[in-house]
Coordinates of all heavy atoms in Angstrom, one line a residue:
L1 N 10.6 -2.5 5.0 CA 10.8 -1.3 5.8 C 11.1 -1.7 7.3 O 11.9 -1.1 7.9 CB 9.5 -0.4 5.7 CG 9.6 0.8 6.5 CD1 10.7 1.8 6.1 CD2 8.2 1.6 6.5
A2 N 10.4 -2.7 7.8 CA 10.6 -3.1 9.2 C 12.1 -3.5 9.4 O 12.6 -3.1 10.4 CB 9.7 -4.2 9.5
S3 N 12.7 -4.2 8.5 CA 14.1 -4.6 8.7 C 15.0 -3.4 8.6 O 16.0 -3.4 9.3 CB 14.5 -5.7 7.7 OG 14.4 -5.3 6.4
V4 N 14.7 -2.4 7.8 CA 15.5 -1.2 7.7 C 15.4 -0.4 9.0 O 16.5 0.0 9.5 CB 15.1 -0.4 6.5 CG1 15.8 1.0 6.5 CG2 15.4 -1.1 5.2
L5 N 14.2 -0.2 9.5 CA 14.0 0.5 10.7 C 14.7 -0.2 11.9 O 15.2 0.4 12.8 CB 12.6 0.8 11.0 CG 11.9 1.7 9.9 CD1 10.4 1.8 10.2 CD2 12.5 3.0 9.8
D6 N 14.6 -1.6 11.9 CA 15.2 -2.4 12.9 C 16.7 -2.2 12.9 O 17.4 -2.0 13.9 CB 14.9 -3.8 12.8 CG 15.3 -4.7 13.9 OD1 15.1 -4.2 15.1 OD2 15.9 -5.8 13.7
G7 N 17.3 -2.2 11.7 CA 18.7 -2.0 11.5 C 19.2 -0.6 11.9 O 20.3 -0.5 12.4
L8 N 18.3 0.3 11.8 CA 18.7 1.7 12.3 C 18.4 1.9 13.8 O 18.8 2.9 14.3 CB 17.8 2.7 11.5 CG 18.1 2.8 10.0 CD1 17.1 3.7 9.3 CD2 19.5 3.3 9.7
G9 N 17.8 0.9 14.4 CA 17.6 0.9 15.8 C 16.4 1.7 16.3 O 16.3 2.1 17.4
V10 N 15.4 1.9 15.3 CA 14.3 2.7 15.7 C 12.9 2.0 15.5 O 11.9 2.5 15.7 CB 14.2 4.0 14.9 CG1 15.4 4.9 15.3 CG2 14.2 3.8 13.4
A11 N 13.0 0.7 15.1 CA 11.8 -0.1 14.9 C 10.9 -0.1 16.1 O 9.7 -0.2 16.0 CB 12.1 -1.5 14.4
D12 N 11.5 -0.2 17.3 CA 10.7 -0.3 18.5 C 10.0 1.0 18.9 O 9.1 0.9 19.8 CB 11.6 -0.8 19.7 CG 12.8 0.2 20.0 OD1 13.3 0.8 19.0 OD2 13.1 0.3 21.1
I13 N 10.3 2.1 18.3 CA 9.7 3.4 18.7 C 8.8 4.0 17.6 O 8.0 4.9 17.9 CB 10.7 4.5 19.2 CG1 11.7 4.7 18.1 CG2 11.3 4.1 20.5 CD1 12.7 5.9 18.5
L14 N 8.8 3.4 16.5 CA 7.9 3.8 15.4 C 6.8 2.8 15.2 O 6.9 1.6 15.4 CB 8.7 3.9 14.0 CG 9.8 4.9 14.0 CD1 10.5 4.9 12.6 CD2 9.3 6.3 14.3
T15 N 5.6 3.3 14.9 CA 4.5 2.5 14.7 C 3.9 2.7 13.3 O 4.0 3.8 12.7 CB 3.3 2.7 15.7 OG1 3.0 4.1 15.6 CG2 3.8 2.4 17.1
L16 N 3.3 1.6 12.7 CA 2.6 1.7 11.5 C 1.1 1.5 11.8 O 0.7 0.6 12.5 CB 3.0 0.6 10.5 CG 4.4 0.6 10.0 CD1 4.7 -0.6 9.2 CD2 4.7 1.9 9.1
D17 N 0.3 2.5 11.4 CA -1.1 2.3 11.6 C -2.0 3.0 10.6 O -1.5 3.8 9.8 CB -1.5 2.9 13.0 CG -1.2 4.3 13.2 OD1 -0.8 5.0 12.2 OD2 -1.2 4.8 14.3
K18 N -3.2 2.7 10.6 CA -4.2 3.2 9.6 C -4.3 4.7 10.0 O -4.5 5.1 11.1 CB -5.5 2.5 9.8 CG -6.4 2.6 8.7 CD -7.7 1.7 8.9 CE -8.4 1.5 7.7 NZ -9.6 0.6 7.9
P19 N -4.2 5.6 8.9 CA -4.4 7.0 9.2 C -5.8 7.3 9.8 O -6.8 6.6 9.4 CB -4.3 7.7 7.8 CG -3.4 6.7 7.1 CD -3.8 5.3 7.6
E20 N -5.9 8.3 10.6 CA -7.2 8.6 11.3 C -8.2 9.1 10.3 O -7.8 9.7 9.2 CB -6.9 9.7 12.3 CG -6.0 9.3 13.5 CD -5.8 10.4 14.5 OE1 -6.5 11.4 14.5 OE2 -4.8 10.2 15.3
A21 N -9.4 8.9 10.5 CA -10.5 9.4 9.7 C -10.4 10.9 9.5 O -10.2 11.6 10.4 CB -11.9 9.0 10.2
G22 N -10.6 11.3 8.3 CA -10.5 12.8 8.0 C -9.1 13.3 7.8 O -8.9 14.4 7.4
H23 N -8.1 12.4 8.0 CA -6.7 12.8 7.8 C -6.4 12.8 6.3 O -6.6 11.8 5.7 CB -5.7 11.9 8.6 CG -4.3 12.3 8.5 ND1 -3.7 13.3 9.2 CD2 -3.3 11.8 7.6 CE1 -2.5 13.4 8.9 NE2 -2.2 12.5 7.9
A24 N -5.9 13.9 5.8 CA -5.6 14.0 4.4 C -4.3 13.2 4.1 O -3.3 13.4 4.7 CB -5.4 15.5 4.0
L25 N -4.4 12.3 3.1 CA -3.3 11.5 2.7 C -2.6 12.2 1.5 O -3.3 12.9 0.8 CB -3.7 10.1 2.3 CG -4.3 9.2 3.4 CD1 -4.8 7.9 2.7 CD2 -3.2 8.9 4.4
P26 N -1.3 11.9 1.3 CA -0.7 12.4 0.0 C -1.5 11.8 -1.2 O -2.0 10.8 -1.1 CB 0.7 11.8 0.1 CG 1.0 11.6 1.6 CD -0.4 11.2 2.1
R27 N -1.4 12.5 -2.3 CA -2.2 12.1 -3.5 C -1.8 10.8 -4.0 O -2.6 10.1 -4.7 CB -2.0 13.2 -4.6 CG -2.7 14.5 -4.2 CD -2.6 15.5 -5.4 NE -3.2 16.7 -5.0 CZ -3.2 17.7 -5.8 NH1 -2.6 17.7 -7.0 NH2 -3.8 18.8 -5.5
W28 N -0.6 10.4 -3.8 CA -0.1 9.1 -4.4 C -0.7 7.9 -3.6 O -0.6 6.8 -4.1 CB 1.4 9.0 -4.4 CG 2.1 9.0 -3.0 CD1 2.6 10.2 -2.4 CD2 2.3 8.0 -2.1 NE1 3.2 9.8 -1.2 CE2 3.0 8.5 -1.0 CE3 2.0 6.6 -2.2 CZ2 3.3 7.7 0.1 CZ3 2.4 5.8 -1.1 CH2 3.0 6.3 0.0
C29 N -1.2 8.1 -2.4 CA -1.7 7.0 -1.6 C -3.0 6.4 -2.0 O -3.9 7.1 -2.3 CB -1.9 7.5 -0.1 SG -0.3 8.0 0.7
H30 N -3.0 5.1 -2.0 CA -4.3 4.3 -2.2 C -5.0 4.4 -0.9 O -4.6 3.9 0.1 CB -3.9 2.9 -2.6 CG -5.1 2.1 -2.9 ND1 -6.2 1.9 -2.0 CD2 -5.4 1.3 -4.0 CE1 -7.1 1.1 -2.6 NE2 -6.6 0.7 -3.8
P31 N -6.3 4.9 -0.9 CA -7.1 4.9 0.3 C -7.4 3.5 0.7 O -7.8 2.7 -0.1 CB -8.3 5.7 -0.1 CG -8.4 5.6 -1.6 CD -7.0 5.4 -2.1
G32 N -7.1 3.2 2.0 CA -7.4 1.9 2.5 C -6.2 0.9 2.4 O -6.2 -0.2 3.0
R33 N -5.2 1.3 1.7 CA -4.0 0.5 1.5 C -2.7 1.3 1.9 O -1.7 1.2 1.2 CB -3.9 -0.1 0.1 CG -5.0 -1.1 -0.1 CD -4.7 -1.8 -1.4 NE -5.8 -2.8 -1.7 CZ -6.0 -3.4 -2.8 NH1 -5.2 -3.2 -3.8 NH2 -7.0 -4.2 -2.9
T34 N -2.9 2.2 2.8 CA -1.8 3.0 3.3 C -1.7 3.1 4.8 O -2.8 3.1 5.4 CB -2.0 4.5 2.7 OG1 -2.0 4.4 1.3 CG2 -0.9 5.4 3.2
A35 N -0.5 3.1 5.3 CA -0.3 3.2 6.8 C 0.5 4.4 7.1 O 1.4 4.7 6.3 CB 0.4 1.9 7.3
G36 N 0.2 5.0 8.1 CA 1.0 6.2 8.6 C 2.2 5.6 9.4 O 2.1 4.6 10.1
I37 N 3.3 6.2 9.3 CA 4.5 5.9 10.1 C 4.6 6.9 11.1 O 4.8 8.1 10.8 CB 5.8 5.8 9.2 CG1 5.6 4.8 8.0 CG2 7.0 5.4 10.1 CD1 6.7 4.9 7.0
R38 N 4.5 6.6 12.4 CA 4.4 7.6 13.5 C 5.4 7.3 14.6 O 5.8 6.1 14.8 CB 3.0 7.6 14.1 CG 2.0 8.0 13.1 CD 0.6 8.2 13.8 NE 0.2 7.1 14.6 CZ -0.1 7.2 15.9 NH1 0.0 8.3 16.5 NH2 -0.5 6.1 16.6
E39 N 5.8 8.3 15.2 CA 6.5 8.3 16.5 C 5.7 9.1 17.5 O 5.5 10.3 17.4 CB 7.9 8.9 16.3 CG 8.8 8.7 17.5 CD 8.9 9.9 18.4 OE1 8.8 11.0 18.0 OE2 9.1 9.7 19.6
G40 N 5.0 8.3 18.3 CA 4.0 9.0 19.2 C 2.8 9.5 18.3 O 2.3 8.7 17.5
K41 N 2.5 10.7 18.4 CA 1.4 11.3 17.6 C 1.9 12.0 16.3 O 1.2 12.4 15.5 CB 0.6 12.3 18.4 CG -0.2 11.7 19.5 CD -1.1 12.6 20.2 CE -1.9 11.9 21.3 NZ -3.0 12.7 21.8
Q42 N 3.2 12.1 16.2 CA 3.8 12.8 15.0 C 3.9 11.8 13.9 O 4.5 10.8 13.9 CB 5.2 13.3 15.4 CG 5.9 14.0 14.2 CD 7.3 14.5 14.5 OE1 7.9 14.2 15.5 NE2 7.8 15.3 13.6
V43 N 3.3 12.2 12.7 CA 3.4 11.4 11.5 C 4.7 11.7 10.8 O 5.0 12.9 10.5 CB 2.2 11.7 10.6 CG1 2.4 11.0 9.2 CG2 0.9 11.4 11.2
L44 N 5.5 10.7 10.6 CA 6.8 10.9 10.0 C 6.8 10.5 8.5 O 7.7 10.8 7.8 CB 7.9 10.0 10.7 CG 8.1 10.3 12.2 CD1 9.2 9.4 12.7 CD2 8.4 11.8 12.4
G45 N 5.7 9.8 8.1 CA 5.6 9.4 6.7 C 4.5 8.4 6.5 O 3.7 8.2 7.3
Y46 N 4.6 7.8 5.3 CA 3.5 6.9 4.9 C 4.2 5.7 4.1 O 5.2 5.8 3.5 CB 2.5 7.6 3.9 CG 1.8 8.7 4.6 CD1 2.3 10.0 4.5 CD2 0.7 8.4 5.4 CE1 1.6 11.0 5.2 CE2 0.0 9.5 6.0 CZ 0.5 10.8 5.9 OH -0.2 11.8 6.5
L47 N 3.5 4.6 4.3 CA 3.9 3.4 3.6 C 2.6 2.9 3.0 O 1.6 2.7 3.6 CB 4.4 2.3 4.6 CG 4.5 0.9 4.1 CD1 5.6 0.8 3.0 CD2 4.8 -0.1 5.2
G48 N 2.6 2.7 1.7 CA 1.4 2.2 1.1 C 1.5 1.9 -0.4 O 2.5 2.0 -1.0
E49 N 0.3 1.6 -0.9 CA 0.2 1.3 -2.4 C -0.1 2.5 -3.2 O -0.8 3.4 -2.7 CB -0.9 0.2 -2.6 CG -1.0 -0.3 -3.9 CD -2.0 -1.4 -4.0 OE1 -2.0 -2.3 -3.2 OE2 -2.8 -1.4 -5.0
L50 N 0.5 2.6 -4.4 CA 0.2 3.7 -5.3 C -1.3 3.7 -5.6 O -1.9 2.7 -5.9 CB 1.1 3.5 -6.5 CG 1.0 4.7 -7.5 CD1 1.6 6.0 -7.0 CD2 1.8 4.3 -8.8
H51 N -1.8 4.9 -5.6 CA -3.3 5.1 -6.0 C -3.5 4.5 -7.4 O -2.7 4.8 -8.3 CB -3.6 6.6 -5.9 CG -5.1 6.9 -5.9 ND1 -5.9 6.7 -7.0 CD2 -5.9 7.3 -4.9 CE1 -7.1 7.0 -6.8 NE2 -7.2 7.3 -5.5
P52 N -4.6 3.8 -7.6 CA -4.9 3.2 -8.9 C -5.0 4.2 -10.0 O -4.6 3.9 -11.1 CB -6.3 2.5 -8.6 CG -6.4 2.4 -7.2 CD -5.6 3.5 -6.6
A53 N -5.5 5.4 -9.8 CA -5.6 6.4 -10.9 C -4.2 6.8 -11.3 O -4.0 7.0 -12.5 CB -6.4 7.6 -10.4
I54 N -3.3 6.9 -10.4 CA -1.9 7.3 -10.8 C -1.2 6.1 -11.5 O -0.5 6.3 -12.5 CB -1.1 7.7 -9.6 CG1 -1.7 9.0 -9.0 CG2 0.4 8.0 -9.9 CD1 -1.1 9.4 -7.7
A55 N -1.4 4.9 -11.0 CA -0.9 3.7 -11.6 C -1.4 3.6 -13.1 O -0.6 3.3 -14.0 CB -1.2 2.5 -10.8
A56 N -2.6 3.9 -13.3 CA -3.2 3.8 -14.6 C -2.6 4.9 -15.5 O -2.3 4.6 -16.7 CB -4.7 4.0 -14.6
L57 N -2.4 6.1 -15.0 CA -1.7 7.2 -15.8 C -0.3 6.8 -16.2 O 0.1 7.1 -17.3 CB -1.7 8.5 -15.0 CG -3.0 9.3 -14.9 CD1 -2.8 10.4 -13.9 CD2 -3.5 9.8 -16.2
L58 N 0.4 6.1 -15.3 CA 1.7 5.6 -15.6 C 1.8 4.3 -16.4 O 2.9 3.8 -16.7 CB 2.5 5.5 -14.3 CG 2.7 6.8 -13.5 CD1 3.3 6.5 -12.2 CD2 3.5 7.8 -14.3
K59 N 0.6 3.8 -16.7 CA 0.5 2.5 -17.4 C 1.2 1.4 -16.7 O 1.9 0.5 -17.3 CB 0.9 2.7 -18.9 CG 0.1 3.7 -19.6 CD 0.5 3.8 -21.0 CE -0.4 4.9 -21.7 NZ 0.0 5.2 -23.0
L60 N 1.0 1.3 -15.4 CA 1.6 0.3 -14.6 C 0.7 -0.9 -14.5 O -0.5 -0.7 -14.3 CB 2.0 0.8 -13.2 CG 3.0 1.9 -13.1 CD1 3.1 2.4 -11.7 CD2 4.3 1.5 -13.7
N61 N 1.1 -2.1 -14.7 CA 0.3 -3.3 -14.7 C 0.3 -4.1 -13.4 O -0.3 -5.1 -13.3 CB 0.7 -4.2 -15.9 CG 0.4 -3.5 -17.2 OD1 -0.5 -2.8 -17.4 ND2 1.3 -3.8 -18.2
Q62 N 1.2 -3.6 -12.5 CA 1.3 -4.3 -11.2 C 1.1 -3.3 -10.1 O 1.3 -2.1 -10.3 CB 2.7 -4.9 -11.1 CG 2.9 -6.0 -12.1 CD 4.3 -6.6 -12.0 OE1 5.2 -6.0 -11.4 NE2 4.6 -7.8 -12.5
R63 N 0.8 -3.8 -8.9 CA 0.7 -2.9 -7.8 C 2.1 -2.4 -7.4 O 3.1 -3.2 -7.5 CB 0.1 -3.7 -6.6 CG -1.3 -4.0 -6.8 CD -1.8 -4.8 -5.6 NE -3.2 -5.1 -5.7 CZ -3.9 -5.8 -4.9 NH1 -3.3 -6.3 -3.8 NH2 -5.2 -6.0 -5.1
V64 N 2.2 -1.2 -6.9 CA 3.5 -0.6 -6.6 C 3.4 -0.1 -5.1 O 2.4 0.6 -4.8 CB 3.8 0.6 -7.5 CG1 5.1 1.3 -7.1 CG2 3.9 0.1 -9.0
A65 N 4.3 -0.4 -4.3 CA 4.4 0.0 -2.9 C 5.4 1.1 -2.8 O 6.5 1.1 -3.5 CB 4.8 -1.1 -2.0
L66 N 5.1 2.1 -2.0 CA 6.0 3.3 -1.8 C 6.1 3.6 -0.4 O 5.2 3.4 0.4 CB 5.4 4.5 -2.6 CG 5.2 4.4 -4.1 CD1 4.4 5.6 -4.6 CD2 6.5 4.4 -4.8
V67 N 7.3 4.2 0.0 CA 7.5 4.8 1.3 C 7.9 6.2 1.1 O 8.7 6.6 0.3 CB 8.7 4.0 2.0 CG1 9.0 4.6 3.4 CG2 8.3 2.5 2.2
D68 N 7.3 7.1 1.9 CA 7.6 8.5 1.9 C 7.8 8.9 3.4 O 6.9 8.8 4.2 CB 6.5 9.3 1.3 CG 6.7 10.8 1.2 OD1 7.8 11.2 1.3 OD2 5.7 11.5 1.1
M69 N 9.1 9.3 3.7 CA 9.3 9.6 5.1 C 10.1 10.9 5.2 O 10.9 11.2 4.4 CB 10.2 8.5 5.8 CG 9.4 7.3 6.2 SD 10.4 6.2 7.3 CE 10.5 7.1 8.8
L70 N 9.8 11.7 6.3 CA 10.6 12.8 6.6 C 11.9 12.4 7.2 O 11.9 11.6 8.2 CB 9.9 13.7 7.6 CG 8.5 14.3 7.2 CD1 7.8 15.0 8.3 CD2 8.8 15.3 6.0
M71 N 13.0 12.8 6.6 CA 14.3 12.3 7.1 C 14.8 12.9 8.3 O 15.5 12.3 9.2 CB 15.3 12.4 5.9 CG 15.0 11.5 4.7 SD 14.7 9.8 5.2 CE 16.3 9.3 5.7
A72 N 14.6 14.2 8.5 CA 15.2 14.9 9.6 C 14.7 14.3 11.0 O 15.5 14.1 11.9 CB 14.8 16.4 9.6
P73 N 13.4 14.1 11.2 CA 13.0 13.4 12.4 C 13.5 12.0 12.6 O 13.9 11.6 13.7 CB 11.4 13.4 12.3 CG 11.1 14.4 11.3 CD 12.2 14.5 10.4
L74 N 13.7 11.3 11.5 CA 14.2 10.0 11.5 C 15.7 10.0 12.0 O 16.1 9.3 12.9 CB 14.1 9.2 10.2 CG 14.6 7.8 10.1 CD1 13.9 6.9 11.1 CD2 14.5 7.3 8.7
V75 N 16.5 10.9 11.4 CA 17.9 11.1 11.8 C 18.0 11.5 13.2 O 18.8 11.0 14.0 CB 18.6 12.1 10.9 CG1 20.0 12.5 11.4 CG2 18.7 11.5 9.4
K76 N 17.1 12.3 13.7 CA 17.1 12.8 15.1 C 16.8 11.6 16.0 O 17.5 11.4 17.0 CB 16.1 13.9 15.4 CG 16.1 14.4 16.8 CD 15.1 15.5 16.9 CE 15.1 16.0 18.3 NZ 14.1 17.1 18.5
L77 N 15.9 10.7 15.7 CA 15.6 9.6 16.5 C 16.8 8.6 16.5 O 17.1 8.1 17.6 CB 14.4 8.8 15.9 CG 13.0 9.4 16.1 CD1 12.0 8.6 15.3 CD2 12.7 9.5 17.6
I78 N 17.4 8.4 15.4 CA 18.6 7.6 15.3 C 19.7 8.1 16.2 O 20.4 7.4 16.9 CB 19.1 7.4 13.9 CG1 18.1 6.6 13.1 CG2 20.5 6.7 13.8 CD1 18.3 6.7 11.6
S79 N 19.9 9.5 16.1 CA 21.0 10.1 16.9 C 20.8 10.0 18.4 O 21.7 10.1 19.2 CB 21.3 11.5 16.5 OG 20.2 12.3 16.8
L80 N 19.5 9.9 18.8 CA 19.2 9.8 20.3 C 19.4 8.4 20.8 O 19.3 8.2 22.0 CB 17.7 10.3 20.5 CG 17.5 11.7 20.2 CD1 16.0 12.0 20.3 CD2 18.3 12.6 21.1
R81 N 19.6 7.4 20.0 CA 19.8 6.1 20.4 C 21.1 5.8 20.9 O 22.2 6.0 20.7 CB 19.4 5.1 19.3 CG 18.0 5.0 19.0 CD 17.3 4.6 20.2 NE 15.9 4.4 20.2 CZ 15.3 3.3 20.6 NH1 16.0 2.3 21.1 NH2 14.1 3.2 20.6

């Protein structure tokens, strides 16, 4: 993800960090293995591991990493560069 964001010219303005306590994560997110993708205080998406319960339902034998981002704010950031 870092190289993609770098290629788009926005890696320097987006941050990956642990979601704040009490912040509701999407259901697919593994608690403790997910980072929020932010621009300032605005959460643009998440990068993390698939929740073990969902992985079990899908009969996955390996860990799966996912990225979920809002595209409109990302496109706006790119266009401002």
Side-chain angles (χ1 to χ4, degrees):
L1 178 62
S3 61
V4 171
L5 296 176
D6 188 44
L8 294 172
V10 295
D12 61 326
I13 56 175
L14 295 179
T15 58
L16 294 175
D17 60 10
K18 201 174 195 179
E20 296 177 15
H23 182 81
L25 294 172
R27 291 182 180 177
W28 63 264
C29 294
H30 183 304
R33 293 188 180 168
T34 299
I37 303 168
R38 295 185 312 119
E39 189 258 331
K41 292 187 177 190
Q42 181 183 9
V43 176
L44 302 181
Y46 297 93
L47 166 68
E49 189 175 312
L50 184 63
H51 194 288
I54 296 172
L57 285 173
L58 297 172
K59 299 180 181 175
L60 300 173
N61 297 323
Q62 297 178 341
R63 291 180 176 175
V64 176
L66 300 168
V67 176
D68 180 19
M69 282 191 71
L70 297 171
M71 295 307 294
L74 181 60
V75 170
K76 184 177 178 182
L77 287 172
I78 294 166
S79 69
L80 294 174
R81 288 300 183 133

